[in-house]
């Protein structure tokens, strides 16, 4: 089975036909996401490991990824060229085996920055409400 052509630039949107084809080809068995939050800068490193089964040995597919920087991609122990396999919001995976392991290392940060700012605003609002309640 060969999936819909994944060459070219792609956004984070997947078509219904692509989803159907991909779900017939692969079944995810586990995911592990590790975030390194020890950085003091605006970004942090992530390592995501996905294990999945494939119904057609030698087939190709992709995984979805939205990240500003991809540091490395490894499929079944073989390091892949980031410039060859990262296309927009997709990472192309070829020559799949019956069981597969893909490891993706990225650098991200937008979500943590936004969450932290939102938490500070929420804390300030909660403090103001508590002060108002205490005054009544």
């Amino acid at each position: 089975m060969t999936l819909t052509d994944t060459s070219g630039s792609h956004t984070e949107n997947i078509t219904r036909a692509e989803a159907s084809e991909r779900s017939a080809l692969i079944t995810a068995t586990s995911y592990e996401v590790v975030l390194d939050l020890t950085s003091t800068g605006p970004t942090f490193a992530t390592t995501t490991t996905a294990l999945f089964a494939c119904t057609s040995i030698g087939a190709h597919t992709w995984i979805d990824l939205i990240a500003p920087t991809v540091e490395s991609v490894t499929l079944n122990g073989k390091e892949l060229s980031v410039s060859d396999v990262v296309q927009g919001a997709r990472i192309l995976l070829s020559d799949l085996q019956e069981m597969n392991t893909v490891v993706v290392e990225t650098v991200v940060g937008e979500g943590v920055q936004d969450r932290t700012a939102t938490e500070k605003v929420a804390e300030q609002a909660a403090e103001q409400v508590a002060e108002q309640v205490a005054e009544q």
Side-chain angles (χ1 to χ4, degrees):
M1 172 183 237
T2 301
L3 288 183
T4 306
D5 182 18
T6 58
S7 62
S9 179
H10 292 280
T11 66
E12 60 272 10
N13 297 320
I14 182 172
T15 68
R16 189 175 300 238
E18 290 172 328
S20 178
E21 290 178 31
R22 189 166 63 171
S23 69
L25 181 67
I26 64 171
T27 303
T29 58
S30 71
Y31 296 94
E32 177 184 69
V33 179
V34 177
L35 308 175
D36 179 0
L37 301 176
T38 60
S39 170
T40 58
T43 61
F44 60 93
T46 70
T47 302
T48 302
T49 303
L51 280 64
F52 61 95
C54 179
T55 60
S56 180
I57 295 174
H60 67 272
T61 191
W62 73 94
I63 57 171
D64 303 306
L65 173 72
I66 300 173
T69 305
V70 176
E71 296 291 324
S72 70
V73 178
T74 305
L75 176 62
N76 297 329
K78 179 183 176 192
E79 182 133 358
L80 306 178
S81 168
V82 170
S83 62
D84 289 344
V85 299
V86 176
Q87 295 186 2
R90 295 181 178 180
I91 297 176
L92 307 179
L93 303 173
S94 59
D95 194 26
L96 298 177
Q97 303 303 304
E98 185 176 351
M99 288 302 299
N100 300 275
T101 302
V102 63
V103 179
V104 180
E105 294 180 339
T106 64
V107 175
V108 297
E110 182 178 329
V112 169
Q113 307 314 306
D114 293 345
R115 191 192 75 211
T116 302
T118 302
E119 286 176 349
K120 287 180 182 177
V121 169
E123 287 173 7
Q124 290 172 347
E127 288 173 4
Q128 290 174 351
V129 169
E131 288 173 6
Q132 291 172 357
V133 169
E135 292 174 358
Q136 294 178 357

